[in-house]
Amino acid sequence: SDTIHLTRGLPVPQGISKPAFLAAIDDLKSALGAEHVQLNDTEIKNGWYMEHPNTHDMMPLFDFEEFVASAVVYPSCVAEVQMIVRWANKHLIPIFPISMGRNLGYGGAAPRVRGSVTIDLGKRMAKILSINEDDFTCLVEPGVSFYALHEELQRRGLGDKMWIDTPDLGGGSVVGNTVDRGVGYTPYGDHWACHSGLEVVLPGPDAQVLRTGMGALGVGGENTWQCFPYGFGPYSDGIFSQSNFGIVTKMGMTLMPNPGGFESFMYTFPNESDLAPLMEIIRPLRISNILENVAQLRHGLQTLSVKGHPRTKYYSGFGPMPDAIVRTELEKTATGACAWVYYGMSYGPAPIRKLKLDLIDSAFKQIRGAKKIDPATLPADEYFWSRDRIASGTPDLEELKWVNWMPNGAHAAFSPVSPIRGADATKLYELAKKRHMEAGIDLMPAFCVGLREMHLIVEIVYDAADAGMRRRAEKCLRDMIDDAAALGYGEYRTHIALMDQVAGTYSWNDHALMKFNNQLKDSLDPNGILAPGRCGIWPQRYRNRGWEL
Amino acid sequence: SDTIHLTRGLPVPQGISKPAFLAAIDDLKSALGAEHVQLNDTEIKNGWYMEHPNTHDMMPLFDFEEFVASAVVYPSCVAEVQMIVRWANKHLIPIFPISMGRNLGYGGAAPRVRGSVTIDLGKRMAKILSINEDDFTCLVEPGVSFYALHEELQRRGLGDKMWIDTPDLGGGSVVGNTVDRGVGYTPYGDHWACHSGLEVVLPGPDAQVLRTGMGALGVGGENTWQCFPYGFGPYSDGIFSQSNFGIVTKMGMTLMPNPGGFESFMYTFPNESDLAPLMEIIRPLRISNILENVAQLRHGLQTLSVKGHPRTKYYSGFGPMPDAIVRTELEKTATGACAWVYYGMSYGPAPIRKLKLDLIDSAFKQIRGAKKIDPATLPADEYFWSRDRIASGTPDLEELKWVNWMPNGAHAAFSPVSPIRGADATKLYELAKKRHMEAGIDLMPAFCVGLREMHLIVEIVYDAADAGMRRRAEKCLRDMIDDAAALGYGEYRTHIALMDQVAGTYSWNDHALMKFNNQLKDSLDPNGILAPGRCGIWPQRYRNRGWEL
Ligand SMILES: Cc1cc2nc3c(=O)[nH]c(=O)nc-3n(C[C@H](O)[C@H](O)[C@H](O)COP(=O)(O)OP(=O)(O)OC[C@H]3O[C@@H](n4cnc5c(N)ncnc54)[C@H](O)[C@@H]3O)c2cc1C
Ligand SMILES: Cc1cc2nc3c(=O)[nH]c(=O)nc-3n(C[C@H](O)[C@H](O)[C@H](O)COP(=O)(O)OP(=O)(O)OC[C@H]3O[C@@H](n4cnc5c(N)ncnc54)[C@H](O)[C@@H]3O)c2cc1C
């Protein structure tokens, strides 16, 4: 069912007694208003994507009660965020900020440390503070979703003039996705590279608030805050991404000018072995920007699963679904039987697009059996049109459908980075295949080609109610991380449960980078209250005390 | 003359006795070899750009002996850099790293603290460690200049396949320019945004060395180090730019694929008042990448001065040269009489260029009297061809010529950032004009249009041997910084003598950003040995003790 009773009761954070914790919560209620602090002591609800919980991960990889908040607090402004930080320092209570908490596949809304107090920034801090039509920029609070930003552009009649960039699901937070260094599919897909300016509350006892870049100017900083990311002196934004060094309360984002036209295209490739030569073809086209957006090269099985039917519709045997069945089923669809599907978009006025599309066509057709699918032949509900919307900056939800593959469908992602090379693609694909085979899990890989690198995103879909399958999924993930590390590949992002392991692979020179991260952590957060363990960074109070997973 | 006798003798750093300092230097000599440590105790030489000094600024804004090194040390490898850092920690001697020390206009090779020991990284660490033809990336040491990298590409027969991006002068260091967040003029002009991966020696007593991004992987990091800048966890590269938090010993850089064609163009505009409407025309063209490189809109006087003749050829009165003379002199040149010159380049195959150039032409021609100069009419030694080389990635030296405007020509730059707006351009231009008028200095402004912002670069050319003129130049710079700050503009980079003032304008919320910078400084460099005062960041041992200027 949707509601889960907390059998272990209120998850009081370690190191504080229950009465002391409850007294601290009462303090917080007096400061912010009782209605803005919710104790999490009886039951949690899973909801669905658009009504997701903020107390835990609705798609848990461990038991639901493992990564769970003791309370959720809803600040309405920066001063209240500062108040919460001071409160946490006073009581030594771990706090975990989320913008919206839709980080599905990477831990959802769950805090890394059981019993943390989750700061749900998005609920009451959800203003679009500015949209600048001249500069093609905006300034947003954590609660602004990709949907909300897109709708506001339409509402102001600016939808034709400028685009947002959206990840595959539009319900996430612009701030939350960007600070986790998420990606989208227009030429503005590298969200971190496209942001400009942060406002950050620091985790120290005095909860200082600073603005980065031009926002630090004493007078008039807002004029250039979103135009020029760097400012003067050390450029500190980066250390507030994928970290636990600060709470981001405002972020500037650039918007993409309408390119003057766009056109999606789709190619299919018949054989698994086409992967390597195809990557060699894609690389130079992508680096020279003839392929202009984050290319998605997906395995045929994902094209099947995104139709939204349960796996059992096609197959109910144990172990990965046999290839022959995937092909037979794909045969009945618009793509036809194939091993790989490439989804791309060309931008600009028609004559410019044509020059690029012709180049792409003759390059892709070097693969024997490559087929360009004519969009005119595709029905309106074909997944192609979802990619078309996303690559032109319109948020969408279609992508959720492959989660239906399993009952109680949950998923967790394995996301290693590699050069755009045939040999690398093959090695990663083979190791994923081997580990999926061992785990008896269907392999759904998508190669997302950035500019000079690709992220392989392997989405493991599992039955969240099946503890055995959760363990198999976790083992498969951990094995892939280790295998990849041994071959020289590292993850760009990971699930909260896997952060220690992934951080551990970045071990050059006796873990020099982690020692450096720890040093910054201890300086900025001496009481170790902010998101302990996030990205493998543990504050002194927790370090080497058995918290690492 | 070229040689200056050090009347004040050996500039022993404050806080250590001369004998103790000399003993420490002897230690260093034993460790690195006596020939790799040079004491600076008798005379300094200015040389010229390509044989520049590493002991001081060859274009000083103060007295030559003010910002001067006590010694220069030449490490040959990372381990020796670490050795020097440990040595500095032991003896509490300030060290100042330079890659090549050609930071002219911003302090040259001079250390901020008189008597610092300069680490000249570039002399013996000048290897191109790799050029990757497939990924269009390279990995370089501090001593690799833009010229050297360009020549190596030619030597390997890769010159037609990939380009470097170069600043206006090609003799600088790729690493040094990039860590100071310098800019160039191809679409890869934002050097910081185009780098990928650093190796850094930290300033603490144990002189840890770390690699950022994918370089931190325990195994095989070099495969992806230059392909993907971020890695996993906090992205820390930014805090090593424009700072004194670490010594960069290796840096990855991306290279631009040959765009398949290029074409320079030049427009002139007759009136000073064309500036504002022109900026309004440039902004949307630049943001939508129809203008594809960092646009330079230069004042006519700079087009005259870059011919390399002394000012006295045209005028020898006091105060700024009258406009009428500038116009008359320009009349005799290829541009004709004009107030502004725009230099741009269009990239790609001819039909794509044509589409863009036609759009640009009809937009620019909205300015009455706008004139496109046909390159075919220009002689080979016209400055236009220097811009053509630079915007297509070929290093050059022509730009040095305007320094000849004054005898003993030196210059210092005022570089405020603003949105790309007519109103902002006008305000900045007016304030610069007023202050130049007061100081009796010729105004040579160039608006360098980034993507959503422009840097106004005002190059003050002065006679370095004329103490009175140096003081006027400094006053003019300081007045402009203050005026700009009051209007909401901040500098993107500045001269070592002006760093405290500029950093002071970034004062939002009671100097929260500087407090944060200071906190990082104290954590990473507890003995305060690395480049004290750079970018206004003073370590604890120096802070509020009268060092600020
Ligand atoms: C089917 C499917 C497809 C997906 N496709 C994509 C995709 O294409 N691209 C992609 O990037 N992701 C994708 N995801 C993952 C995820 O849904 C998105 O990244 C989503 O935007 C993240 O959730 P959020 O924006 O609500 O961020 P949050 O959950 O609010 O934030 C993510 C994490 O960042 C930190 N954080 C958030 N806000 C702050 C703050 N203000 N201060 C400090 N730290 C903060 C927290 O640790 C938090 O856990 C996909 C997921 C699914 C299920
Ligand atoms: C006529 C003229 C035109 C110019 N045009 C341009 C232009 O178009 N674009 C532009 O950007 N600049 C320009 N400049 C300024 C300057 O010449 C260049 O930026 C030059 O590249 C900087 O010198 P450098 O590369 O030798 O760097 P360095 O002098 O080696 O470094 C600059 C500073 O960075 C720090 N630093 C350097 N290396 C390291 C390291 N390894 N670790 C830690 N800190 C380090 C040091 O504090 C140093 O002082 C121009 C100058 C002149 C005179």
Side-chain angles (χ1 to χ4, degrees), chain B residues 99-103 168 173 177 182-183 185 248 411 493 534:
Chain B
S99 283
M100 298 186 74
R102 288 210 178 98
N103 206 8
D168 273 344
S173 153
N177 180 279
V183 296
Y185 304 92
V248 176
H411 79 99
R493 186 175 175 192
R534 182 160 146 72

Side-chain angles (χ1 to χ4, degrees), chain B residues 240-280:
Chain B
F240 298 110
S241 68
Q242 286 195 7
S243 79
N244 49 15
F245 298 162
I247 301 172
V248 176
T249 47
K250 293 185 180 69
M251 188 185 76
M253 198 73 192
T254 56
L255 298 165
M256 180 173 149
N258 181 337
F262 61 91
E263 184 172 350
S264 276
F265 57 92
M266 168 160 83
Y267 284 83
T268 65
F269 303 92
N271 305 307
E272 287 208 346
S273 59
D274 296 334
L275 178 64
L278 189 53
M279 282 300 167
E280 297 293 318

Side-chain angles (χ1 to χ4, degrees), chain A residues 379-401:
Chain A
D381 65 350
E382 175 66 35
Y383 175 70
F384 174 89
W385 298 114
S386 170
R387 292 239 65 78
D388 184 62
R389 286 189 288 278
I390 290 166
S392 57
T394 301
D396 205 49
L397 287 181
E398 281 291 289
E399 190 69 12
L400 258 183
K401 286 190 177 169

Side-chain angles (χ1 to χ4, degrees), chain A residues 224-277:
Chain A
T224 38
W225 199 12
Q226 275 66 67
C227 297
F228 183 60
Y230 305 138
F232 177 78
Y235 175 45
S236 39
D237 291 42
I239 62 171
F240 298 111
S241 68
Q242 289 194 7
S243 81
N244 49 14
F245 298 162
I247 300 173
V248 175
T249 47
K250 292 184 181 68
M251 187 186 76
M253 197 73 195
T254 56
L255 298 165
M256 179 174 150
N258 181 337
F262 61 90
E263 184 174 348
S264 277
F265 56 92
M266 167 159 83
Y267 283 83
T268 63
F269 303 92
N271 304 306
E272 287 208 346
S273 59
D274 295 335
L275 178 63

Side-chain angles (χ1 to χ4, degrees), chain A residues 209 255 452 508-509 519 523, chain B residues 209 216 255 452 508-509 519 523:
Chain A
V209 50
L255 298 165
R452 283 177 169 76
W508 188 80
N509 191 22
Q519 189 177 346
S523 170
Chain B
V209 51
L255 298 165
R452 285 177 167 76
W508 188 80
N509 191 25
Q519 189 177 346
S523 169

Side-chain angles (χ1 to χ4, degrees), chain A residues 228 230 452, chain B residues 146 163-168 174 177-195 251 253-257 286 289 291-296 347 387 390-393 448-451 453 455 492-493:
Chain A
F228 183 60
Y230 305 138
R452 283 177 169 76
Chain B
F146 294 97
W163 294 3
I164 68 159
D165 182 277
T166 172
D168 273 344
V174 179
N177 180 279
T178 303
V179 300
D180 214 24
R181 298 203 299 258
V183 296
Y185 304 92
T186 75
Y188 279 45
D190 179 349
H191 294 167
W192 186 253
C194 289
H195 97 283
M251 188 185 76
M253 198 73 192
T254 56
L255 298 165
M256 180 173 149
R286 183 68 187 98
N289 226 19
L291 294 170
E292 296 160 278
N293 67 339
V294 168
Q296 284 224 11
Y347 300 87
R387 292 239 66 79
I390 289 165
S392 56
C448 296
V449 182
L451 192 63
E453 53 73 40
H455 304 15
Y492 97 101
R493 186 175 175 192

Side-chain angles (χ1 to χ4, degrees), chain A residues 275-297:
Chain A
L275 178 63
L278 189 53
M279 282 300 166
E280 297 293 317
I281 290 170
I282 288 174
R283 186 184 57 248
L285 294 174
R286 183 67 189 100
I287 295 178
S288 52
N289 226 18
I290 290 162
L291 294 170
E292 295 162 278
N293 66 339
V294 168
Q296 284 224 11
L297 183 71

Side-chain angles (χ1 to χ4, degrees), chain A residues 49 52 59 96-106 108-110 121 142 146 166-169 171-177 179-185 191 240 243 246-249 296 399-400 402-403 411 459 492-493 531 534:
Chain A
Y49 180 75
H52 68 293
M59 297 181 172
F96 190 86
I98 57 173
S99 283
M100 298 186 74
R102 290 210 178 100
N103 206 9
L104 300 178
Y106 300 112
L121 296 156
F146 294 96
T166 173
D168 274 343
L169 294 182
S173 153
V174 179
V175 172
N177 179 278
V179 299
D180 213 23
R181 298 204 299 260
V183 297
Y185 304 92
H191 294 166
F240 298 111
S243 81
I247 300 173
V248 175
T249 47
Q296 284 224 11
E399 190 69 12
L400 258 183
W402 48 252
V403 177
H411 79 99
E459 300 287 11
Y492 97 101
R493 186 175 175 192
R534 183 160 145 72

